[in-house]
Amino acid sequence: MDTKRSGQRQAVVVAQFVAMGLIWGSSFLFMKVALRGISFGQLAWSREILGAITLGIVMIVLRQRLPRDRVVWLHFVVIALTNAVIPHLLFAWAEQYVSSSLGSIYNSLTPIATALMATLVFRVERLAAGQVAGVVAGILGVLLIIGPWRYAALTGNLAGQIACLIAATSYGFAIGYLRKFVSHRPIPGTTVAFMNVGTSAAIMLLLTPFLAIGPVRLDPLIVLCVLLLGALGTGVAYLWSVNVLRAWGPTGQSTVTYVIPVVGVVLGVAVLGESLSWNEPVGAAIVLAGILLAQGRILRPRRQPAVLPVSPDLGVADGP
């Protein structure tokens, strides 16, 4: 009987992992379609508000309490800014200039950025030689993706790529910040998720006159993409991520990093008819190898633990 229940629980976790990868990988397609009718600021504003409402309902149903320590709230302001507000605005702005496929590839740089931030800025990790090689490989992969030989000046496409790069770096900063200042506190994963998204929604409400005001052109498809991006991508998928983390641990959960760009590229090419230059998938493969090295999955170091993408909202890598 216990074996049967264990198998059922495992099947649920697998389903949640697959759904999480599909939703987060599809987020770049959702953004691309939504930008046909709303501005990048309205898009980022909407996803935070919808995500906060979704997670708020879950908090009420589960009767979860919010932290009382004021310092924790201040920490979550920093986390909300760097894990949601800034990267979500940057990715939405960037997708006006780059393909959704390329955006999903840049999102996969989060583990590399995490390794750098955790080591150089917050000093919560020390990289072994193999992990340093992984970071270097990741940087070289980024340069290959950008293809600097193709640009005589700063074009919109290059500016969009730089925005994606900054967004991934912002995720890495948020992860390192959470690990240093929040992860040791006894706060449930659902509460951490709501605090992150809820605080970012509060910030977005303050920025409403600058982001949300303006003309819109809505149709059923645009509305559906915004709802999926907000309620699922910035809401429910975070809860799935908590369950996967608890069942598989950070190493198993972090493999979603590899699923997101695959889903993003496939949807971009199949649905939107996007194309990739030779250097972009090759650079992405080098980045993937760098992630494997940085996480200790290749040439695993003897003493130092792998740097794993821990999400600022749930303890695992955030969605795009």
Side-chain angles (χ1 to χ4, degrees):
M1 193 69 173
D2 290 339
T3 302
K4 182 178 180 180
R5 290 180 179 177
S6 177
Q8 291 174 342
R9 286 195 296 267
Q10 183 66 14
V12 171
V13 171
V14 170
Q16 290 176 335
F17 176 85
V18 172
M20 182 175 63
L22 290 174
I23 289 296
W24 282 348
S26 303
S27 294
F28 299 92
L29 171 65
F30 298 154
M31 285 189 278
K32 201 72 172 178
V33 173
L35 286 170
R36 296 173 179 174
I38 61 178
S39 69
F40 78 92
Q42 292 168 337
L43 176 59
W45 185 93
S46 298
R47 70 179 296 183
E48 306 301 343
I49 301 301
L50 290 171
I53 292 173
T54 302
L55 291 174
I57 293 173
V58 173
M59 288 284 289
I60 293 172
V61 171
L62 297 180
R63 298 182 179 180
Q64 296 282 355
R65 296 182 179 180
L66 298 176
R68 296 182 179 181
D69 192 341
R70 293 181 181 179
V71 173
V72 173
W73 285 80
L74 292 176
H75 285 319
F76 272 105
V77 170
V78 176
I79 293 169
L81 284 169
T82 55
N83 185 54
V85 175
I86 292 174
H88 289 173
L89 281 169
L90 286 173
F91 269 123
W93 180 85
E95 287 223 12
Q96 298 174 111
Y97 305 102
V98 302
S99 67
S100 64
S101 302
L102 197 54
S104 67
I105 290 174
Y106 273 107
N107 183 76
S108 68
L109 293 170
T110 299
I112 300 296
T114 300
L116 288 172
M117 291 294 175
T119 303
L120 301 179
V121 177
F122 296 104
R123 300 186 181 276
V124 294
E125 299 283 356
R126 286 186 297 173
L127 297 182
Q131 293 172 302
V132 172
V135 172
V136 172
I139 294 173
L140 293 176
V142 171
L143 291 176
L144 184 57
I145 293 170
I146 292 176
W149 61 86
R150 298 184 299 177
Y151 299 96
L154 184 66
T155 65
N157 183 276
L158 180 55
Q161 293 191 59
I162 292 174
C164 291
L165 184 58
I166 295 173
T169 303
S170 183
Y171 283 143
F173 178 93
I175 291 167
Y177 189 95
L178 178 133
R179 295 180 70 176
K180 187 173 182 66
F181 297 108
V182 177
S183 62
H184 62 282
R185 301 175 186 271
I187 305 175
T190 304
T191 302
V192 175
F194 175 74
M195 287 293 293
N196 175 25
V197 179
T199 305
S200 65
I203 294 172
M204 285 297 193
L205 287 176
L206 293 176
L207 297 176
T208 297
F210 308 99
L211 297 177
I213 304 301
V216 298
R217 183 181 60 81
L218 299 179
D219 60 37
L221 183 59
I222 292 174
V223 172
L224 177 63
C225 285
V226 173
L227 288 174
L228 291 174
L229 184 63
L232 287 184
T234 315
V236 176
Y238 283 42
L239 302 178
W240 292 337
S241 188
V242 171
N243 293 336
V244 175
L245 174 68
R246 289 172 175 170
W248 293 356
T251 301
Q253 195 282 339
S254 69
T255 55
V256 74
T257 306
Y258 318 137
V259 177
I260 293 172
V262 174
V263 174
V265 169
V266 169
L267 289 177
V269 173
V271 178
L272 299 177
E274 297 174 347
S275 60
L276 295 173
S277 301
W278 69 268
N279 57 297
E280 293 165 355
V282 173
I286 295 175
V287 168
L288 175 59
I291 293 172
L292 293 172
L293 281 167
Q295 293 184 340
R297 299 178 187 233
I298 303 176
L299 301 177
R300 184 177 296 276
R302 295 181 180 179
R303 296 182 180 180
Q304 298 301 327
V307 176
L308 299 171
V310 194
S311 179
D313 49 345
L314 312 169
V316 287
D318 186 19

